[in-house]
């Protein structure tokens, strides 16, 4: 096809007015594209601000339900829950993850009881919020994370969450084979309707620091997670991870972190044509907040531009700590 040349072709014509820009816009961002990660803590009437995540707090279950109501009103379809576990409930084997009355289960049940199917609850499967060493799995004497032994515990954790009413199980641990094992057990235990959103391509990233403060594992973690989370240098390997998790029964996949990995989002979407989600992680949130506070740009514009970029790259949705703010800006 031969295209017109200047001056027959003037690409600025369609950009001239707001109505015309709206007509030719290729990508749309709505509150339905947002998943809101929330941190839950013990107690009643408790809000604990997280210093390294300005504007984000941990909430006790009662206040968390109030946040969930705000999310529904703003048009957010799903929450992602993470617990802050007190040191005395942590152990080497992360057994608190299997406690049917742990914070995650109580929070999930309370939100489901209050709101039913008005909002989805996505629960995190990994042991780092519960271990005394801060790793996502069980460790051997040398501190290495054991794969198959960890998967057995993750299956129990996933079932525990499903019994509490979780709608989407989201394994963020990066063990091999955990999606298949969890899927089989969910089917066997009568939870065939429960979705799995796999953190399929999760990188060993420097952008997770504030999250580790939020769940209380930063000071505990010795070493790093490079033995199971992916090398930031690898893209082909991300496609293999996604292929494996889809074959094992994942309903959707996630790429994490977000903005530095947009190429991965695009590649996964093009190759597999499945719902792809991306997590704009804590360090990314903190960077935007710091940039705005330093006067580097308008906060609202920075937030919406980055979220739109995920959609342009092919993401169905974004986990972001800016979800409520962004949803309100977008107007439900
Ligand atoms: C660990 C987990 C991490 C995040 C979600 N689940 C961090 C890590 O791997 O240490 C990070 C999320 C964020 O930074 O916002 N299971």
């Amino acid at each position: 096809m031969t295209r017109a040349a200047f001056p027959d072709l003037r690409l600025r014509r369609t950009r001239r007015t707001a109505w015309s820009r709206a007509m030719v816009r290729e990508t749309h961002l709505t509150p339905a594209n947002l998943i809101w990660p929330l941190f839950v803590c013990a107690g009643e009437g408790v809000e604990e601000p997280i210093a390294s995540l300005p504007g984000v707090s941990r909430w006790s279950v009662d206040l968390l339900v109030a946040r969930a109501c705000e999310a529904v009103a703003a048009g957010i379809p799903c929450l992602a829950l993470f617990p802050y576990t007190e040191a005395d409930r942590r152990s080497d084997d992360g057994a608190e993850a299997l406690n049917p009355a742990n914070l995650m289960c109580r929070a999930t049940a309370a939100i489901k009881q209050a709101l039913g199917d008005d909002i989805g609850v996505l629960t995190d499967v990994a042991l780092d919020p519960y271990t005394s060493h801060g790793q996502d799995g069980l460790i051997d004497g040398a501190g290495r994370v054991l794969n198959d032994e960890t998967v057995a515990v993750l299956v129990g954790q996933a079932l525990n969450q499903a019994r509490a009413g979780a709608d989407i199980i989201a394994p963020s641990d990066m063990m091999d084979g955990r999606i298949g094992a969890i899927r089989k057990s969910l089917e066997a235990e009568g939870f065939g309707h429960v979705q799995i959103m796999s953190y399929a391509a999760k990188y060993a990233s420097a952008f997770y620091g504030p999250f580790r403060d939020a769940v209380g594992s930063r000071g505990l973690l010795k070493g790093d997670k490079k033995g199971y989370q992916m090398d930031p240098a690898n893209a082909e390997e991300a496609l293999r991870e996604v292929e494996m998790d889809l074959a094992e029964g994942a309903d959707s996949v996630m790429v994490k972190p977000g903005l530095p990995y947009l190429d991965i989002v695009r590649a996964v979407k093009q190759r597999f044509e499945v719902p792809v989600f991306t997590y704009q992680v804590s360090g990314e949130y903190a960077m935007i907040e710091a940039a705005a506070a330093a006067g580097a740009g308008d906060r609202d514009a920075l937030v919406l531009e980055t979220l739109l970029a995920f959609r342009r790259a092919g993401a169905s949705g974004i986990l972001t700590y800016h979800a409520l703010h962004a949803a309100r800006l977008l107007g439900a």
Side-chain angles (χ1 to χ4, degrees):
M1 187 182 84
T2 47
R3 294 192 188 236
F6 177 83
D8 294 338
L9 179 66
R10 289 181 183 271
L11 288 172
R12 287 184 56 192
R13 272 184 213 123
T14 53
R15 275 177 223 150
R16 196 158 160 262
T17 56
W19 61 261
S20 176
R21 289 191 293 274
M23 273 175 72
V24 300
R25 189 158 295 135
E26 299 172 31
T27 308
H28 298 274
L29 176 69
T30 76
N33 304 128
L34 304 174
I35 298 175
W36 192 18
L38 286 166
F39 299 103
V40 52
C41 62
E44 218 176 293
V46 180
E47 175 183 1
E48 296 174 350
I50 300 154
S52 55
L53 275 179
V56 178
S57 296
R58 304 180 193 108
W59 305 93
S60 55
V61 172
D62 54 325
L63 297 186
L64 194 74
V65 172
R67 306 318 312 265
C69 294
E70 291 173 337
V72 171
I76 293 172
C78 189
L79 305 174
L81 304 183
F82 298 94
Y84 175 85
T85 310
E86 309 280 349
D88 63 353
R89 289 195 168 267
R90 287 173 174 263
S91 57
D92 278 357
D93 62 2
E96 178 65 8
L98 304 175
N99 174 3
N102 69 18
L103 270 181
M104 284 289 275
C105 292
R106 280 188 279 138
T108 301
I111 293 169
K112 289 279 99 181
Q113 196 183 357
L115 292 163
D117 285 337
D118 288 350
I119 196 159
V121 171
L122 175 153
T123 53
D124 183 70
V125 167
L127 298 184
D128 55 305
Y130 313 94
T131 54
S132 41
H133 45 72
Q135 293 289 1
D136 289 27
L138 307 176
I139 56 174
D140 66 13
R144 284 206 184 83
V145 173
L146 298 160
N147 193 86
D148 302 10
E149 295 82 346
T150 297
V151 169
V153 183
L154 299 176
V155 166
Q157 182 182 22
L159 287 173
N160 193 30
Q161 294 172 351
R163 287 185 196 109
D167 297 296
I168 308 180
I169 301 291
S172 69
D173 55 282
M174 288 300 280
M175 297 304 114
D176 285 323
R178 88 280 205 217
I179 300 301
I182 292 171
R183 174 52 76 209
K184 266 195 198 71
S185 307
L186 288 173
E187 283 291 334
E189 299 287 324
F191 297 108
H193 59 284
V194 172
Q195 296 183 37
I196 299 178
M197 182 188 292
S198 166
Y199 287 67
K202 175 170 177 180
Y203 288 86
S205 170
F207 287 96
Y208 301 149
F211 173 93
R212 291 178 189 169
D213 288 336
V215 299
S217 63
R218 189 180 226 173
L220 304 172
L221 184 65
K222 292 170 211 77
D224 55 45
K225 300 190 177 183
K226 292 180 183 169
Y228 45 107
Q229 297 179 351
M230 282 182 56
D231 183 341
N234 293 357
E236 272 173 14
E237 192 186 340
L239 300 177
R240 297 178 70 194
E241 281 283 2
V242 168
E243 185 168 40
M244 184 173 171
D245 289 358
L246 291 172
E248 289 179 25
D251 302 283
S252 56
V253 292
M254 198 197 298
V255 174
K256 177 183 172 189
L259 227 46
Y261 296 86
L262 284 187
D263 57 326
I264 308 297
V265 174
R266 164 57 64 95
V268 169
K269 185 67 190 176
Q270 279 185 337
R271 172 82 64 97
F272 297 101
E273 300 174 320
V274 297
V276 180
F277 292 83
T278 175
Y279 199 146
Q280 185 174 46
V281 299
S282 57
E284 298 178 71
Y285 172 93
M287 274 183 14
I288 292 172
E289 290 299 307
D298 176 70
R299 179 175 179 250
D300 294 351
L302 290 169
V303 168
L304 293 181
E305 185 176 331
T306 58
L307 294 175
L308 188 67
F310 292 114
R311 296 278 299 144
R312 197 185 59 240
S316 296
I318 307 105
L319 288 89
T320 174
Y321 302 98
H322 282 121
L324 185 64
H325 183 64
R328 285 175 173 166
L329 289 176
L330 293 167

